[in-house]
Amino acid sequence: MFTIAQLSDLHVRPPGKLAYSDVDTNAMFQNAIDAVLSLDLRPDCVVVSGDLTDCGLEEEYEVVAAGLARLPMPVFVIPGNHDRREQLVSSLGPHHRYLPPDGFINFVVDDFPLRLVFLDSLETGSIHGTFCAARQQWLRDALAAGRGKPTVVVIHHPPFLVGADGMDDLRLLGADALDAIIKDHPEIERVLCGHYHRLITARYAGTVGYVAPSTAHQVALDLRPGRGNRFIMEPPGLALHVWRPDMGISSHLVPVGDYGPPFEIATDQDHPGKDRDNGLPTLLVRAGAVVNEAAAKLVAMQTTPLRTERKDHLDIVTEADLASEAIVVAGLKALTPGAGILAEESGASPGDNGARWIIDPLDGTINYARGLPWFSVTVAYEVGGETRLGLINAPKIGLTARYLAGDGATIDGVPACVSTTRSLSDAVLSVILTSHFSPEEVRRTTRVIELLGRVVRGVRIVVSGALETAMVASGRLDGFVSLKADIVSHAAAMPMVWAGGGQVTTLTGRPCRNDDLDKIASNGLIHEELLALLRQAL
């Protein structure tokens, strides 16, 4: 899954000044940055579709540069009619090196599963945009070079009519030429725009045209013929575009502001739906919301000073572990009051219905405490010793995995599918070697690593068992070896490997149970060879 956050029409002013004498666009810009940082799933990149400033002043771009620098992911900007092209490049160029040094600010980003094509529609001194012959030829060449790769085009001025005269009077001039080029390229999945300060979608040239709202003031909706534009302080917002190979793009509005926490849907007993609130699928969705909340809490806390305590030899627990566990335990108890709980930090509490939740609120604590991205929240729902549903959210690398008994598993929305590697000499594996191992366990593990290192293509030590096992299920790793596996890190992930066609066994070759210590996961094709090598090492 690949995600793009789209900000538009920031209209930043010099420090201490308001836009239109009444709108604190600078504060609203910072609020929008906060909103991006607090998203449950951190975007892979951010695009800003023009009007970064209100007047194109150097002092305004300094505010923009400082705000965008708060974002840890790549950020790409184009000018709008309120921007000054040369000043934008001069002010932002040192930290946005994709910006052309002169001429039109047209460029291509081809580093992602989606190709991003950015168009400069600025006509100096005009509110409307233009698409001249030079820009037309640049776009033809840029699209031809893409060879059909799924593509998004970003341009400030919408090239399509929206049915509001005040907006349509300010659209892109020369749009017919752009229409023709877009029609010739069915790989274009969206044309993303700004300028109109409202969320608008339209069928356009064989694709979808999308106008993002402003992060500040909006344009009042008025569809009466001949009416001009007026501003209104409706809630600001940003857009989140989600792409997957199995679905293309879906676009979502993210209001900027505090509208209270999410709450569960309580369906009335008279509701005609036959499947209301019943069964594991509903429980999976609701438990997923709890896990996502805990993952967002971890992301927010990772950049803050953390209290840390020693536990179990050299291992540690942080206040983030405890905060995440509190969210997960409270949320899951509310969903299933009769189920027991087995949690990494608080231990076991019995239930009364033969079911229990197995929870690792922060799998990969040492990675997390050092600012590394390899950690996750992992949760399994076990009935009669069998995992019935599993959830893993690794928010810093954008991995989400789900398992539902009878339905299989998905990783990032794609069905689990292990690799097709047939020989250890071509395999990449990970091995757990962590701080709570005894000296003898360290010696056993290092013998395994030494022997694997002579045979396999690569050995990795990530030390986030749920994440690594999910990577086997998705084919990113060919195998995973843990000689001292705790139940909380693997109960959710093991059935994902089975669902993807792989194997998880003990060293003896017996299929693993949740409470087994040694867990060997692989794509199945290398499993016997891997077990033989491990037995030789041990």
Side-chain angles (χ1 to χ4, degrees), residues 18-330:
L18 301 178
Y20 308 101
S21 303
D22 195 37
V23 184
D24 191 350
T25 52
N26 291 17
M28 300 176 88
F29 168 49
Q30 299 300 334
N31 291 342
I33 299 295
D34 291 340
V36 173
L37 293 173
S38 66
L39 288 169
D40 289 340
L41 181 63
R42 180 158 288 186
D44 295 289
C45 70
V46 172
V47 304
V48 187
S49 48
D51 280 2
L52 285 71
T53 67
D54 199 46
C55 299
L57 304 177
E58 181 178 2
E59 310 95 287
E60 295 173 335
Y61 285 112
E62 289 175 355
V63 176
V64 171
L68 296 181
R70 295 175 54 204
L71 296 170
M73 67 287 292
V75 179
F76 308 104
V77 305
I78 54 170
N81 51 285
H82 281 258
D83 292 303
R84 299 175 193 259
R85 192 179 285 119
E86 293 77 13
Q87 187 61 59
L88 186 156
V89 172
S90 174
S91 297
L92 301 186
H95 298 289
H96 295 258
R97 297 190 179 278
Y98 57 85
L99 291 171
D102 51 41
F104 296 121
I105 302 178
N106 299 323
F107 59 95
V108 176
V109 177
D110 208 358
D111 302 329
F112 303 118
L114 273 179
R115 197 164 186 256
L116 307 180
V117 177
F118 293 83
L119 286 177
D120 180 343
S121 60
L122 171 60
E123 179 69 19
T124 302
S126 299
I127 299 178
H128 63 76
T130 56
F131 186 58
C132 61
R135 284 176 271 200
Q136 294 169 28
Q137 188 57 51
W138 182 92
L139 180 59
R140 291 189 189 96
D141 293 343
L143 292 174
R147 300 180 180 274
K149 181 179 178 179
T151 298
V152 165
V153 173
V154 186
I155 184 171
H156 179 66
H157 293 84
F160 42 83
L161 296 169
V162 300
D165 287 352
M167 299 179 190
D168 288 336
D169 288 345
L170 308 178
R171 75 187 187 112
L172 182 75
L173 300 184
D176 290 347
L178 180 58
D179 300 352
I181 296 172
I182 299 294
K183 286 178 180 177
D184 284 343
H185 288 274
E187 73 272 19
I188 297 174
E189 303 220 11
R190 283 287 189 282
V191 176
L192 305 182
C193 312
H195 193 42
Y196 287 168
H197 289 235
R198 290 201 71 81
L199 171 61
I200 304 170
T201 57
R203 182 73 175 166
Y204 167 64
T207 185
V208 176
Y210 184 96
V211 181
S214 169
T215 60
H217 46 287
Q218 309 305 309
V219 169
L221 180 62
D222 194 337
L223 302 178
R224 293 173 293 178
R227 306 291 292 195
N229 292 325
R230 295 171 297 161
F231 291 143
I232 187 171
M233 295 309 296
E234 292 178 350
L238 58 95
L240 190 64
H241 308 284
V242 180
W243 179 87
R244 285 199 333 234
D246 62 328
M247 74 174 193
I249 291 183
S250 63
S251 298
H252 305 266
L253 171 66
V254 181
V256 176
D258 185 359
Y259 302 97
F263 56 90
E264 298 299 335
I265 300 170
T267 305
D268 191 276
Q269 291 298 312
D270 295 329
H271 190 276
K274 294 180 180 179
D275 59 350
R276 65 176 190 275
D277 297 343
N278 290 327
L280 287 174
T282 298
L283 186 58
L284 180 71
V285 172
R286 293 183 171 183
V290 174
V291 169
N292 292 346
E293 181 183 354
K297 182 68 172 178
L298 291 179
V299 170
M301 293 184 70
Q302 192 179 26
T303 56
T304 65
L306 292 172
R307 292 192 304 274
T308 300
E309 296 179 3
R310 288 281 186 114
K311 72 167 189 177
D312 194 9
H313 191 40
L314 297 176
D315 206 358
I316 60 172
V317 59
T318 73
E319 61 180 316
D321 294 77
L322 303 178
S324 175
E325 183 165 299
I327 291 170
V328 175
V329 169

Side-chain angles (χ1 to χ4, degrees), residues 359-384:
I359 301 163
D360 194 335
L362 177 45
D363 182 37
T365 296
I366 294 177
N367 292 339
Y368 177 87
R370 285 302 182 99
L372 298 172
W374 306 300
F375 64 87
S376 70
V377 181
T378 177
V379 161
Y381 185 64
E382 182 190 73
V383 181

Side-chain angles (χ1 to χ4, degrees), residues 236-485:
L238 58 95
L240 190 64
H241 308 284
V242 180
W243 179 87
R244 285 199 333 234
D246 62 328
M247 74 174 193
I249 291 183
S250 63
S251 298
H252 305 266
L253 171 66
V254 181
V256 176
D258 185 359
Y259 302 97
F263 56 90
E264 298 299 335
I265 300 170
T267 305
D268 191 276
Q269 291 298 312
D270 295 329
H271 190 276
K274 294 180 180 179
D275 59 350
R276 65 176 190 275
D277 297 343
N278 290 327
L280 287 174
T282 298
L283 186 58
L284 180 71
V285 172
R286 293 183 171 183
V290 174
V291 169
N292 292 346
E293 181 183 354
K297 182 68 172 178
L298 291 179
V299 170
M301 293 184 70
Q302 192 179 26
T303 56
T304 65
L306 292 172
R307 292 192 304 274
T308 300
E309 296 179 3
R310 288 281 186 114
K311 72 167 189 177
D312 194 9
H313 191 40
L314 297 176
D315 206 358
I316 60 172
V317 59
T318 73
E319 61 180 316
D321 294 77
L322 303 178
S324 175
E325 183 165 299
I327 291 170
V328 175
V329 169
L332 298 182
K333 280 185 174 179
L335 294 179
T336 54
I341 297 283
L342 175 61
E344 169 79 0
E345 307 306 334
S346 57
S349 59
D352 56 18
N353 64 359
R356 67 172 174 172
W357 291 99
I358 302 172
I359 301 163
D360 194 335
L362 177 45
D363 182 37
T365 296
I366 294 177
N367 292 339
Y368 177 87
R370 285 302 182 99
L372 298 172
W374 306 300
F375 64 87
S376 70
V377 181
T378 177
V379 161
Y381 185 64
E382 182 190 73
V383 181
E386 178 186 355
T387 297
R388 303 294 293 164
L389 66 82
L391 290 156
I392 301 168
N393 186 336
K396 275 296 187 72
I397 65 168
L399 181 144
T400 56
R402 293 184 167 196
Y403 168 75
L404 185 65
D407 280 2
T410 60
I411 293 89
D412 294 334
V414 178
C417 184
V418 297
S419 72
T420 57
T421 303
R422 292 184 173 273
S423 170
L424 275 183
S425 62
D426 297 319
V428 177
L429 298 90
S430 66
V431 179
I432 286 282
L433 176 59
T434 190
S435 55
H436 60 72
F437 279 17
S438 69
E440 175 56 26
E441 289 161 348
V442 171
R443 284 191 289 271
R444 294 180 75 229
T445 304
T446 53
R447 286 200 298 271
V448 166
I449 294 171
E450 180 182 7
L451 192 53
L452 285 174
R454 299 174 190 168
V455 176
V456 305
R457 178 166 293 170
V459 178
R460 300 291 178 263
I461 301 177
V462 179
V463 194
S464 179
L467 175 58
E468 292 165 274
T469 310
M471 286 183 173
V472 175
S474 67
R476 300 175 206 184
L477 289 173
D478 301 305
F480 167 69
V481 177
S482 180
L483 303 181
K484 187 183 179 182

